[in-house]
Amino acid sequence: MKKAFKNHKAYIFASACAVALCSIQPASALIDDEVVVTGVRGLPRSVQDSPVPIDVFNEGDLEAVSYTDANDILQTLVPSYTLSRQPISDGSTFIRPASLRGLPTDKTLVLVNSKRRHRAALVSIGGSGTQGPDIATIPAVALKSVEVLRDGAAAQYGSDAIAGVINFILKDSPDGITLTAQTGQYYEGDGFEYIFSGNAGFGLGDDGFVNISLEYSKSDQTIRAEQYCESWFCVPEVAAMDPTFAAGVADASLADGDIVQPWGRPNTEAFRSFVNLGYTFSDAVEFYAFGNFSDSTADGNFFYRYPGNGTIEDLRLEDGSIYNFLEIYPGGFTPQFHGDVIDYSAAGGFRGDLGGGFTYDLSGRVGTSKIEYFIENTVNPSLGPDTPTEFYPGDLINKEAQFQADLAQVVDIGLSGPLTIAFGASYLKEGYELVEGDPASYADGPFALPDPFDFCTDAGTPTAAGSMIAGLDCTLPEDGGTDPVYQVVGVGSNGFPGYSPEFSGKYTRDSKAFYLDLSADITDSWFLQGAVRYENYSDFDSQLIYKFATRYELFDGFALRGSYGTGFRAPTPGQQGTTNVSTRLPNGFPVATGLFPASSAVAQALGADPLEPETSKNITAGFTASYAGIDLSVDFYRIALEDRVNAISTQDVSSDPAAGDAYDNYLALVGAGVTGAESIGGVFYFTNAFDTITKGVDVVATTDLDFGSAGNTSLSLAANYNETEFDGNVDSLFNLEDQYDFVNGDPNWRGVFTAYHSVGGFGALARVSYYGGYSNSNGIITDPITDEPISVQDIQEFDGEFLVDLELSYSFLDHYKVSIGARNILDNYPDPGMIGETCCGRIYRSDSIVDWQGGYYYGRVEVTF
C-alpha cells in the first residue's frame, strides 16, 4: 500500500515549504536517467528531461567526500558553490557564509526534505550582511541525496530562491545500521581531526520507519602564519631589544609557540543529529516528521594588541598613579573569541491522495538557531585596572514558525500529458533577538572620557585635586600635552563589546503567501510550465512574481531548455534589527566600528532609509544532449539583481568639533544614546545600495565505462564560469579599489573532474578541482591637480590552482569498508598575498575561496549491519 502511494505521488509536486516538492530516488551521477521531480510539478522527469538545470548527488557521491561539513561537501561537488575560511571575522568564524553562482548565501533557498530550513542567528557584519541557514548543522551521515537547482525559483519557493535551491533529502531506510570512524590531519602536522558517525533505521510496523543519524567531530586549529612584523610594530625587533618580551607575548596571547597572531582554521567540536520518520495509514493519509539538534563550539581570535596601539596605553588613576594593561598582559594580548552554536528544529505533517488525481500536503515547522558568545584574554579598557579578562557579550537568536498547505490536481485536457494544477498557501512568523551581555562587557568605565577625575581645568591647569598629583602635566592635547590624564580608551570587551540594554531586544514579523503552478507536456516534444506567487510581509509591501520554464526536444537525445522569472528576497529581521560594535585595525590601529539598524535613530540621523526587498530577473537558456553513452548539459544564465542590500562605507566619527562630518556623526551617536560614543571611530548601516548583473555558464558531462572483469569507471566533469558587474554608478558607495576587488577578487572559472573506478571490492577515486586566476588591488591613483581618483594601483594577479584528491577503498566480508586518502595530495597553496590585505602575520588572503590549509591525509573505517 505504501509503495503504491509513493508511485502515484511521483506525479505530483506535493510537499515543500512554499511549494510542493517530493523526495526522490537519488541519482548515481550528475546527469542520468534517474527520475526526479525537483523544479517542476507533474509527471516524473529525469535530470536530462528537466526544463531547468539540476544536479543530484546520491549517498555514494556524498560519502566520497572526506569532509564532515556539508558546506565543504557542496563546494567540492558543485563548482558554482564557494565559501572561504573567514578567520577574524566575528561570528563568521563559526558560521561561514557561502555563495552560489557568485551571489551571497542568503540568495539561495535551503530545504530539508523539501521544507524550508530556518536561518542561522548570525548576520554577517559588513558586506552584504548575509543571514542564511547554517548548512553545517546538517550532518553528512543523515543525507540520502542532495538536489541543487541552479535556477531562479522564487515564484515557486518564495523569498531567497534567486540564485537557486538546495534540497537536502534525509535517509529513510527502515532497517540497517552504519557506523563510521574517520581521522586525519594536515601535512603541516596540525589540524588533527576525528569524526564518529552512525545511522540506524527501524521499522514502525509494516508501514512506517524511523531513521536516526548521529555525528560527533572534533578538530584542532591550524596556523598558517608568520610572526607579526609590520611598520608600526614588529615583534622580532622588539624582542631583540627586550629578551623578556617574547615570552610575555606568548603567555598572554593564548597563541601556540611564538606566533602572536594565528591565522587558520579554529578549534571546533560538534555534536549533530537528525531524526526522520514516516508512517502510511492508507493511500489517503501518510504522516511524516523530522527534526534535528546540533551543538557546536569553536574558538577564534582577533588582532594582536601590541603595546601603545591605542588600547594598551598609560592611564592616570584616581590616586594619581600610572597604570598600563601590560601589568596583566606583558607584551600585549590577542583576544580569544568563542562561539557556541545551538540549532534545533522540528517539521511534520500529513499528505495523501484523495482520489481523482487530487493530492494534499499539510505541514508545519519550527526552527531555532542560537549563538552564545564568550570572549577571554582581553579587557574592557574603559574600566582600567578593575577590568575582568573574561566576558559574556550576549546571544543572538533566530526563530521561525511556518504552516503550509500544498494541493495539486491532475487533469486530462487532451494534451500529450495531463495538466498539473498545483496551488497552496503559507503563513510564516519570524523573530530575531539580541540578548544583553554581562554589564562589564558593555560598561563605559571612567577611562572612556579624558580626565575622568577632574585633575585639570578646561584651560589646561591643575585643579585643587590635580595639584596634589606629582608629575601631572595638564597641558591640553591640542597644545601638545601628552599626560595620561587625557588618554581615552575603548568601551566594552575589547574585540567584541557586549550588547547593552539600549541595543538589545526583539524584532518580529510575519508573512502570508499564495501560489499557483501549471505544468504539462503540450506535445511529445514540448514541456511548458508557469508559476505565479503573491507574498505579503508585515514590514514590506506585497510582492507578485512569476516564472516560465520550457523544454523542447529537437530530436532524440538533444533538447533545448530555458526559463525566465522574477524574484525577490525580503531583508531578514536580523538584517533589520542587528547592532554590533566591533574593533577593527586599519593600519594596525584599533578603531571601534558600530553597525546600527537602518531604521534606528542613529542610522536615520546619518541619512539611512528603511530596507526594502531585493528584486531579480533571471534568465536561463541551454541544451541537453545524450550521445554514445555521454550525457551533457550546457546552461547559460543571467541574474539582474536590483536594490542589493549592502553595508555603506564606514563613516568616520570624532568627538573633535573641528572634525566636520565626523563630529556630526558623533553628535548623532550621542543623541541616540550610544554608550561610549567618544571611543567609536566609525559607523555604518545596511542599505539597498546598488544593482548588479551576474552571468555565466554551467557545463556538466558524465559517462560510465564498462571494462568487464576489469571493473567499471564513472567519469564526471562539472565547470562553471561566473562574473558579476555593477549595473550603474556606485562611486558614492565604493571607492575605485573596492569596486575593482568586488568584480575581480574571486576566480571566474571553477571546475571539478571526478573519476571513480571499482572492481570487486576495490575502489579508487580521483578528483581534480580547478580554481581560475583572480586579482586584487591595493590603492588608488589620484589626479595630482584635482585630487580626484583616476584608477587603482598595486594590482596583484593570482594564478589558477589545481587541487587533487585521491582515495582508495576496500570492502570485504559484506559488512566492512576501509578507506585511505588525501585531500590536496600535492600540497598546493594559493599565491601568497603581497599587498595590504595580508598584513599582521597573514601569509595568504584569508578570504580566498582557494583553500590555503595545504594537504590533508585521512583514514576511514565503515561497518554496516
Side-chain angles (χ1 to χ4, degrees):
M1 224 165 167
K2 178 179 179 183
K3 181 177 180 182
F5 171 63
K6 286 190 173 180
N7 287 340
H8 181 79
K9 182 172 64 173
Y11 286 83
I12 307 299
F13 207 68
S15 74
C17 63
V19 9
L21 182 115
C22 276
S23 300
I24 64 166
Q25 296 299 316
S28 61
L30 293 176
I31 296 180
D32 55 22
D33 293 328
E34 293 293 330
V35 172
V36 297
V37 292
T38 305
V40 304
R41 299 182 180 90
L43 294 174
R45 312 185 73 83
S46 71
V47 174
Q48 197 78 326
D49 289 338
S50 172
V52 291
I54 180 171
D55 300 328
V56 181
F57 303 98
N58 66 18
E59 189 175 340
D61 299 324
L62 303 177
E63 289 180 352
V65 181
S66 62
Y67 290 104
T68 182
D69 189 326
N71 274 304
D72 293 304
I73 293 173
L74 285 177
Q75 178 171 241
T76 301
L77 297 175
V78 183
S80 61
Y81 186 91
T82 60
L83 72 159
S84 55
R85 177 52 55 189
Q86 299 281 343
I88 310 187
S89 190
D90 292 336
S92 295
T93 301
F94 316 127
I95 299 176
R96 293 181 292 163
S99 170
L100 183 68
R101 283 186 162 177
L103 296 178
T105 185
D106 57 4
K107 311 299 187 293
T108 298
L109 177 63
V110 176
L111 310 175
V112 173
N113 272 4
S114 306
K115 305 299 178 185
R116 180 182 286 263
R117 181 71 173 164
H118 62 275
R119 298 184 183 92
L122 176 70
V123 177
S124 298
I125 305 304
S128 63
T130 294
Q131 186 191 7
D134 183 6
I135 290 178
T137 61
I138 305 172
V141 68
L143 297 177
K144 177 180 179 181
S145 64
V146 178
E147 309 162 9
V148 182
L149 173 63
R150 296 176 278 107
D151 188 46
Q156 299 166 292
Y157 303 105
S159 176
D160 305 347
I162 291 177
V165 180
I166 301 175
N167 188 15
F168 294 91
I169 304 298
L170 301 176
K171 292 177 179 177
D172 55 5
S173 174
D175 53 50
I177 298 175
T178 300
L179 303 175
T180 304
Q182 177 176 309
T183 186
Q185 69 175 18
Y186 287 91
Y187 288 9
E188 291 288 330
D190 59 9
F192 178 76
E193 177 180 63
Y194 56 87
I195 307 162
F196 300 103
S197 62
N199 174 265
F202 306 94
L204 291 178
D206 295 330
D207 299 304
F209 71 92
V210 176
N211 193 278
I212 302 172
S213 300
L214 305 173
E215 178 185 270
Y216 173 78
S217 63
K218 185 175 176 60
S219 304
D220 294 339
Q221 71 171 351
T222 63
I223 297 179
R224 304 291 179 267
E226 57 192 9
Q227 188 55 281
Y228 192 108
C229 187
E230 303 295 341
S231 60
W232 51 83
F233 192 87
C234 183
V235 170
E237 292 178 4
V238 176
M241 293 184 290
D242 180 3
T244 67
F245 177 85
V249 170
D251 293 343
S253 70
L254 294 184
D256 283 356
D258 294 328
I259 298 294
V260 302
Q261 180 65 73
W263 292 94
R265 187 185 72 176
N267 294 297
T268 62
E269 184 176 11
F271 170 78
R272 298 184 173 114
S273 62
F274 250 102
V275 176
N276 187 29
L277 64 91
Y279 192 87
T280 301
F281 294 95
S282 68
D283 285 350
V285 181
E286 178 188 0
F287 171 74
Y288 62 91
F290 56 92
N292 84 292
F293 176 81
S294 172
D295 188 351
S296 61
T297 61
D299 61 44
N301 54 269
F302 290 116
F303 286 96
Y304 163 57
R305 271 61 168 165
Y306 54 84
N309 74 336
T311 296
I312 305 176
E313 303 285 355
D314 287 341
L315 304 174
R316 192 172 286 280
L317 304 183
E318 189 171 14
D319 64 3
S321 63
I322 304 298
Y323 176 79
N324 193 294
F325 293 112
L326 293 176
E327 294 185 23
I328 303 176
Y329 299 117
F333 65 94
T334 305
Q336 200 77 4
F337 195 41
H338 302 260
D340 187 1
V341 181
I342 302 169
D343 185 283
Y344 51 92
S345 67
F350 293 89
R351 58 193 172 198
D353 182 353
L354 299 181
F358 184 80
T359 63
Y360 71 94
D361 185 345
L362 306 177
S363 64
R365 69 173 182 90
V366 293
T368 297
S369 174
K370 179 180 181 181
I371 305 177
E372 297 177 347
Y373 287 133
F374 176 73
I375 187 169
E376 62 179 336
N377 204 63
T378 189
V379 297
N380 180 338
S382 70
L383 295 177
D386 296 328
T387 180
T389 58
E390 298 179 354
F391 303 87
Y392 160 64
D395 303 337
L396 302 176
I397 303 174
N398 189 85
K399 293 184 177 182
E400 298 177 23
Q402 184 177 24
F403 301 95
Q404 182 157 322
D406 297 298
L407 311 171
Q409 176 71 58
V410 175
V411 181
D412 189 352
I413 59 173
L415 299 175
S416 179
L419 171 68
T420 298
I421 306 170
F423 55 98
S426 168
Y427 173 78
L428 173 62
K429 187 173 182 62
E430 305 170 80
Y432 191 78
E433 182 178 3
L434 291 90
V435 180
E436 178 185 349
D438 70 72
S441 72
Y442 58 79
D444 54 336
F447 301 99
L449 295 172
D451 191 15
F453 306 112
D454 295 325
F455 291 147
C456 301
T457 67
D458 293 340
T461 59
T463 62
S467 64
M468 306 296 292
I469 306 300
L472 175 68
D473 181 1
C474 284
T475 302
L476 297 174
E478 54 264 34
D479 296 329
T482 58
D483 194 282
V485 72
Y486 293 116
Q487 181 65 51
V488 174
V489 289
V491 170
S493 43
N494 190 251
F496 193 92
Y499 301 116
S500 65
E502 294 84 359
F503 296 101
S504 301
K506 297 180 180 180
Y507 190 103
T508 62
R509 76 164 177 216
D510 60 74
S511 62
K512 306 174 184 67
F514 305 91
Y515 73 88
L516 173 68
D517 188 298
L518 306 176
S519 62
D521 286 292
I522 307 301
T523 69
D524 290 342
S525 301
W526 183 26
F527 173 82
L528 185 63
Q529 177 192 23
V532 63
R533 185 181 188 89
Y534 171 84
E535 295 214 16
N536 183 273
Y537 286 79
S538 60
D539 52 352
F540 298 110
D541 294 333
S542 60
Q543 299 287 323
L544 181 65
I545 53 177
Y546 59 89
K547 177 180 178 179
F548 298 100
T550 189
R551 178 184 182 275
Y552 189 83
E553 187 170 4
L554 292 178
F555 51 84
D556 188 28
F558 185 86
L560 301 176
R561 65 184 181 184
S563 68
Y564 176 80
T566 60
F568 78 103
R569 192 197 69 84
T572 68
Q575 286 179 313
Q576 298 183 78
T578 193
T579 299
N580 178 274
V581 178
S582 58
T583 304
R584 302 185 181 188
L585 278 85
N587 300 319
F589 194 83
V591 175
T593 305
L595 165 68
F596 298 96
S599 58
S600 69
V602 175
Q604 293 286 304
L606 298 174
D609 294 317
L611 292 177
E612 296 291 337
E614 301 166 292
T615 59
S616 68
K617 296 177 181 177
N618 297 60
I619 300 174
T620 300
F623 66 87
T624 63
S626 296
Y627 180 75
I630 299 175
D631 291 323
L632 171 69
S633 74
V634 179
D635 294 281
F636 300 87
Y637 58 89
R638 183 182 188 273
I639 305 170
L641 184 57
E642 298 180 0
D643 296 324
R644 186 163 172 170
V645 172
N646 207 84
I648 67 165
S649 297
T650 300
Q651 300 188 29
D652 292 336
V653 176
S654 174
S655 57
D656 182 358
D661 291 342
Y663 181 66
D664 292 338
N665 293 336
Y666 163 72
L667 295 179
L669 297 183
V670 173
V674 176
T675 301
E678 295 78 6
S679 63
I680 292 180
V683 292
F684 66 101
Y685 53 84
F686 296 125
T687 188
N688 295 99
F690 55 92
D691 303 337
T692 59
I693 294 176
T694 298
K695 52 190 176 182
V697 60
D698 289 314
V699 179
V700 180
T702 64
T703 190
D704 287 325
L705 304 175
D706 189 352
F707 297 103
S709 60
N712 179 271
T713 299
S714 297
L715 303 175
S716 68
L717 171 67
N720 170 257
Y721 177 84
N722 187 87
E723 64 179 27
T724 296
E725 61 186 30
F726 294 108
D727 187 16
N729 188 292
V730 294
D731 290 344
S732 61
L733 178 72
F734 293 143
N735 61 34
L736 292 181
E737 179 186 349
D738 291 339
Q739 291 180 44
Y740 182 92
D741 294 344
F742 184 93
V743 173
N744 299 284
D746 287 328
N748 294 123
W749 278 105
R750 172 93 201 284
V752 180
F753 174 76
T754 304
Y756 180 76
H757 183 79
S758 61
V759 55
F762 291 93
L765 171 77
R767 180 184 298 112
V768 181
S769 297
Y770 172 72
Y771 296 84
Y774 52 102
S775 60
N776 187 251
S777 64
N778 184 45
I780 301 172
I781 299 175
T782 58
D783 187 297
I785 298 176
T786 65
D787 202 34
E788 292 295 321
I790 300 174
S791 64
V792 297
Q793 63 180 345
D794 298 336
I795 295 175
Q796 180 178 359
E797 299 285 348
F798 293 83
D799 294 332
E801 294 291 341
F802 287 93
L803 305 182
V804 180
D805 303 339
L806 292 178
E807 180 178 292
L808 301 176
S809 62
Y810 178 62
S811 301
F812 57 99
L813 299 179
D814 296 329
H815 299 291
Y816 306 97
K817 181 180 179 181
V818 294
S819 305
I820 57 172
R823 299 195 301 258
N824 189 9
I825 194 168
L826 301 179
D827 198 28
N828 282 347
Y829 286 82
D831 295 340
M834 306 301 293
I835 55 179
E837 284 83 351
T838 47
C839 78
C840 313
R842 180 171 23 186
I843 299 174
Y844 309 99
R845 280 187 58 191
S846 54
D847 63 346
S848 172
I849 66 171
V850 183
D851 186 73
W852 43 277
Q853 302 299 302
Y856 176 91
Y857 57 89
Y858 62 90
R860 182 170 60 244
V861 177
E862 179 180 302
V863 181
T864 303
F865 302 99

